[in-house]
Amino acid sequence: MKLGFIGTGLMGGPMAARLLAAGHEVAVWNRTAAKLAPLLEKGARRADSPADAAQGEIVMTCVTDQKALEEVLFSANGVVHGKARLVIDFSSIAPASAREFSGRLSDKGIGLVDAPVSGGVAGAEKGTLVIMAGGKEADIERARPVVMHLAQRFTRMGESGAGQATKLCNQVIVGSLIAVLAEAVRLAEATGVDATKLPEALKGGFADSLPLQIFGARMASRTFEPPLAAASIMLKDLDNAAKAGPGVAMPMARTAADIYRRMGTQEISRVVEATS
Amino acid sequence: MKLGFIGTGLMGGPMAARLLAAGHEVAVWNRTAAKLAPLLEKGARRADSPADAAQGEIVMTCVTDQKALEEVLFSANGVVHGKARLVIDFSSIAPASAREFSGRLSDKGIGLVDAPVSGGVAGAEKGTLVIMAGGKEADIERARPVVMHLAQRFTRMGESGAGQATKLCNQVIVGSLIAVLAEAVRLAEATGVDATKLPEALKGGFADSLPLQIFGARMASRTFEPPLAAASIMLKDLDNAAKAGPGVAMPMARTAADIYRRMGTQEISRVVEATS
């Protein structure tokens, strides 16, 4: 299929590479053109603009924030001036912005699926991302054959914005859980337990999770290198969650957000030092 | 091997049954003798007293609380008046009590392994419990061949009391996570997401866990029957965790405990109603 991919960074790069490997024709565009090189080597076509990347049937976006997304979609050289009739957006933005962009694209006869991802760079490389989608049923089914090269799971969660809202739910769980794991590690250490054994000892039980195995292990051994994520990034997600659901009190997520706010840009596993 | 099992309730019953099925001679005792019937049918010997249950090499205990444990161990007909030289205690009690009982048993030449379990009745029946142990290395290795009939995992976490302390870490994680899941479900509902799809959509990702699949699913569909656990039981564990680690602040676990305190004896999945 003739596809376009806009935003070929840490996540978008390996995702676009998987589409090429699957035999699709992919036109790529990135704000920093140097990042395109590895994809061009794999046979991608270098697009001159977001509009040029949108000459195929479907164009995908994976950019930093909603400002960047608005620009690649609606600027003078934006996607709206291309031929693609479906945009799949893998960026993480506010649900309200996804709904707004969906409306503006719809006016031009273009569908938008908001499809933020979970699973990190490793998931992007292996095609095992978990992708939560919002949008019209027909648009999501049109997106599915393409997305299945990238994800182990691609679930329609509701109308436009519901994918982004689900990503916020995901972050509420993960961000709060990481703060909880710090407390469990500190409790273990204070009570004569070998905390480095916690991930293995609790594996397969009710307390087990990927964050326990990854972040819990790093906390117990005070391993903060290489950095996995900054507390400030998680804080942004938790603050967005609070804004997205103004009627929902979320005392647990708020307590976690308060801790991350004090941590600034520190590696998030250092939360084990920030809880006393 | 000649074994004894004291406390054949919801958890202890199926555990003792597994030991019988594995070919061990098991003497059983329970405060409510009627609960022994299914085990006697399977070939267990009915002991007259805890001391009588402790005529074999190893005696196991699985009772409600530390008061019950103290009685079966140290009363006039208690384990200390039997022949067993090793007690494996599967009950959940305070780490400090485990250390105290270990000292008192040690004075009589009896070893104690504190070995609280996680995995529920299903885990007890299938022999897939996760068991966290504290005590002398030699005692834990003596216990291992017996315990392996009951558990998928039996990990020495440290000296006496460390098994109980690890169980409290487990409960800090599980108890806090369940409160977090309630917030994620409420956020989903407030933002147009089909919350009943969350467990499936997030499966295999960073936000996944057994509590998401079990309690998250119950919360999203407002299914509170059959009851799985009372908020008050989880509260007891979280309060014990706070007592066990007085220097550890645990703001997340404290926030969860405050919610459960307001819920009283309600089914714990109703936390989705208790967070607003």
Side-chain angles (χ1 to χ4, degrees), chain B residues 13-139:
Chain B
M15 290 166 81
R18 288 193 63 85
L19 295 172
L20 288 164
H24 292 290
E25 284 179 55
V26 187
V28 293
W29 187 87
N30 195 67
R31 193 162 40 179
T32 311
K35 288 193 185 158
L36 296 175
L39 293 168
L40 301 179
E41 271 171 35
K42 289 176 178 130
R45 176 174 74 80
R46 179 179 179 149
D48 295 330
S49 65
D52 185 27
Q55 294 301 308
E57 298 170 47
I58 298 178
V59 63
M60 284 155 276
T61 50
C62 190
V63 298
T64 317
D65 53 28
Q66 58 207 52
K67 190 164 159 282
L69 182 62
E70 184 164 25
E71 199 164 312
V72 299
L73 292 178
F74 301 108
S75 69
N77 287 319
V79 163
V80 290
H81 303 289
K83 290 180 188 153
R85 283 296 155 267
L86 181 63
V87 177
I88 310 171
D89 176 41
F90 299 120
S91 320
S92 286
I93 64 170
S97 304
R99 281 191 292 272
E100 181 208 321
F101 294 164
S102 174
R104 288 166 66 184
L105 286 171
S106 179
D107 294 342
K108 311 260 182 191
I110 302 171
L112 173 65
V113 172
D114 54 296
V117 312
S118 173
V121 173
E125 285 168 352
K126 290 182 219 151
T128 57
L129 294 169
V130 167
I131 302 189
M132 307 145 259
K136 294 205 182 74
E137 188 110 43
D139 286 341

Side-chain angles (χ1 to χ4, degrees), chain B residues 102-207:
Chain B
S102 174
R104 288 166 66 184
L105 286 171
S106 179
D107 294 342
K108 311 260 182 191
I110 302 171
L112 173 65
V113 172
D114 54 296
V117 312
S118 173
V121 173
E125 285 168 352
K126 290 182 219 151
T128 57
L129 294 169
V130 167
I131 302 189
M132 307 145 259
K136 294 205 182 74
E137 188 110 43
D139 286 341
I140 286 173
E141 291 316 309
R142 260 206 295 165
R144 189 174 297 279
V146 174
V147 172
M148 288 326 285
H149 295 300
L150 312 174
Q152 58 168 302
R153 206 170 285 282
F154 178 58
T155 313
R156 179 174 190 265
M157 302 304 292
E159 299 301 324
S160 183
Q164 296 297 348
T166 304
K167 176 74 190 279
L168 292 180
C169 295
N170 188 84
Q171 296 305 86
V172 161
I173 296 173
V174 176
S176 303
L177 178 53
I178 289 174
V180 167
L181 293 171
E183 298 183 4
V185 167
R186 293 297 290 256
L187 176 61
E189 292 169 348
T191 54
V193 171
D194 181 349
T196 64
K197 287 187 180 168
L198 278 181
E200 178 68 13
L202 304 184
K203 197 166 190 162
F206 270 72

